[in-house]
Amino acid sequence: MEIMHHLVFPINALPSSQMVEEGIDEILWKADVKFEALRRYYEQIEADVLFYFSDVVIQAEAMGAKAKYSRKMMPAVEATARVMSLPDPAQVPRMAVNANVLRRMAGEFPYKLRAALVYGPFTVAGLLAGEEAILRKLIDDPKEVLSLLEKTFECARRYALYLVESGANLLWISDPLAGLIPPDQFWDFAGNFLRRIFELFASIPTILHICGDTYQIIQAMVGTGVRGISFDNCMDLLAVEDEIPKDVYIIGNIDPVEVIELGSPEEIISRTTDLVSMMALKNNFVLSTGCAVPPSAPIENVRLFLETGRKSFADLRPHIPLLSEISRNVYTGNGEETKQGVAAALEDGVEPLTIISSGLTRAIRKGSTMYEAKSCFLPAILLMVDAFYKGFQALENTLELGGSKKSSIVLGTVKGDIHEIGKNLVKIFLETYGHRVVDLGVDVDEDAFIRAYQKYHPTIIGLSAFTTESRKEMGKIISAFHREGIREVLFVVGGAAVNHEVSRSLGADGYARDAVRAVGMIEKLLQQSEVGV
Amino acid sequence: MTKGVIRVTSRMLKYLRVPQDDQTMEIISSVLEETVGLIDIKKWSKCVLVDDFYELFHPYARSSKSISKLLGRAEHVYLIVVTLGEDLGNRAKEYFGKKEVFKGYILDRLGSFLVEEEVKKIDLEITRQCKEDGHATTHRYSPGYGDFSIKAQRTFFDLAKDTIPGLTISHGCLLSSEKTVSAIKGVIKSGY
């Protein structure tokens, strides 16, 4: 288990194409060029797991599909296979290139994990027969699919063995198309084949990556016997952590495009630190990207991600037992124990902000994900919030006032309405996530909202309404801002009188049906506004 | 005015949706005890002829299709107002202010549960009485439901304010305290 403890790496090595003059089409066919690109890339970035620059079409092409190459893009299947063959990998030029590269990487980077990235039998079958066709055949002709899968399984097995014999010491299977199989058919058409492969490579670490939302197939993925599961960036790791046994790595899941390729340095640092601060308490967490980093991603961004991740782990590592205890006590609603835990952590020299993010807030976020998955009701989260505040009060004297707060948000129940419990809950949840919240109270008219905007310059204004009469005020308030020429602020709405449709008709930027979801929605809006989406 | 011992019931727990471990149950019991000390239940009800009802609640009753449908065969209409008083809501706010959110929330939910229970009692009593007299009743309906305007609460306020001192109404026509319910219930004479 210790072999991958708190490692940091990006998936695949596609940005290495920037290290040589040759295009991707040449890199894929020439061992010397590919190895040189990888050598330079991995000298510039300190990744813990190395990849050999793999592409999804290689197995399908070896079995008969026609691939299309270009200088700047990764290859794609141009035509499905007419005649299917089962190749000897050593006789397939591009597979031989990869084996050659892995042999040289073993010499150059002898102490690193070097991944044999192989594509899963279902994905390769989809490339051979056509993605839509294979998914249709799951219903129309499952026997034919199984027969094809036996062939793609054998190809994957041979290729994996060839790469491992050539210098790989970790087997990584990516099976992107398998995420499209209906969950009740996943085992028969993907899981069982993956299990057979992983069983053959039990002596080395094995990792499975399936793109997209895999909540419904997590148990089947674990059932393959794989030693690590790499999650897509669309997944919330706090929601899956309890589903994964302690001896299976949870790997993920920084967005490779929005954050690594397109993100600002500040965003890379903040997202990476945030993920590590949430997940480092799990001994089986490995920091990576949620999918392959694109070829055009700036290398300095990849390096910043790795450096930030490694530093975050190092900062947290000595304090993990104390932070875990705080988080556990908040999660179970034990306020007094939380307070004691915070005091002990302060005594141990843990930074107050670390106690908040990795101890107190982590539990609330986990609670929120459980709530969204309908695994608990609101009162259970409120018990956590109470425990959070017990711990937070023990910290208050140590925090610089306002210095650590995120963007400010103005909230109010609109004119004509006096209901406030929902708004109050939103305020409290936002505060537990570190936002500065200005609460204008109830029965608030458009002038008061405009004055508050001019005074606090919030990023978001939240309007609450309980009755159908008062919700008309929401539209008036939004229009009043537009009339005044104020368009920089985002409006979110909530309350019993509002739903998605009403929210859209009001011209609001966001809606959530309860306080827990409101925080998630607001966090997302803030992230989008930061990256200028 | 009713105030007595209120026990934690399974229906109440189902309504509150709380985790049922010992620690939580202890908090619930103490909040319930506190609630009983804070509530000041006041009720007002009156039975009027259906024509008088339409007159009193003009224009909101006549313009409401839901009300026309509900009272289509009714001869009389019961008007009901029940409130728990201000103290409960104020205490809930205090808890929120002190960041004891769970207690504040539970106090608020218990208020909603108990005011609804009181209205239900009146509802059942009216139904029982009417049945004894050989009449049927409609179900209960409140301003703010469907197309029965919340502004109809202004009439409830005018009618009940002398019996329920401290009852107030906002310019948005919400009765205060927040834990106040107003409702109507039609009586259909036998033979219809």
Side-chain angles (χ1 to χ4, degrees), chain B residues 49-104:
Chain B
L49 284 168
V50 75
D51 288 346
D52 291 345
F53 166 78
Y54 279 113
E55 192 69 28
L56 282 166
F57 285 84
H58 182 74
Y60 309 115
R62 286 210 191 278
S63 62
S64 163
K65 284 181 188 159
S66 331
I67 294 296
S68 302
K69 198 174 164 195
L70 181 83
L71 301 180
R73 296 188 298 143
E75 263 199 2
H76 287 87
V77 181
Y78 270 95
L79 312 176
I80 307 160
V81 177
V82 177
T83 182
L84 298 188
E86 290 289 342
D87 292 351
L88 188 80
N90 290 340
R91 184 64 57 87
K93 276 178 211 164
E94 278 174 33
Y95 276 126
F96 273 99
K98 287 194 292 183
K99 308 286 190 207
E100 291 185 48
V101 187
F102 182 74
K103 281 187 179 173

Side-chain angles (χ1 to χ4, degrees), chain B residues 2-9 12 29 32-33 35-36 39 41 110 113-114 118:
Chain B
T2 319
K3 204 175 207 181
V5 178
I6 301 171
R7 289 196 172 80
V8 177
T9 61
M12 187 187 284
S29 297
L32 183 60
E33 203 178 309
T35 304
V36 172
I39 57 174
I41 304 169
L110 276 173
F113 179 80
L114 294 175
E118 288 300 325

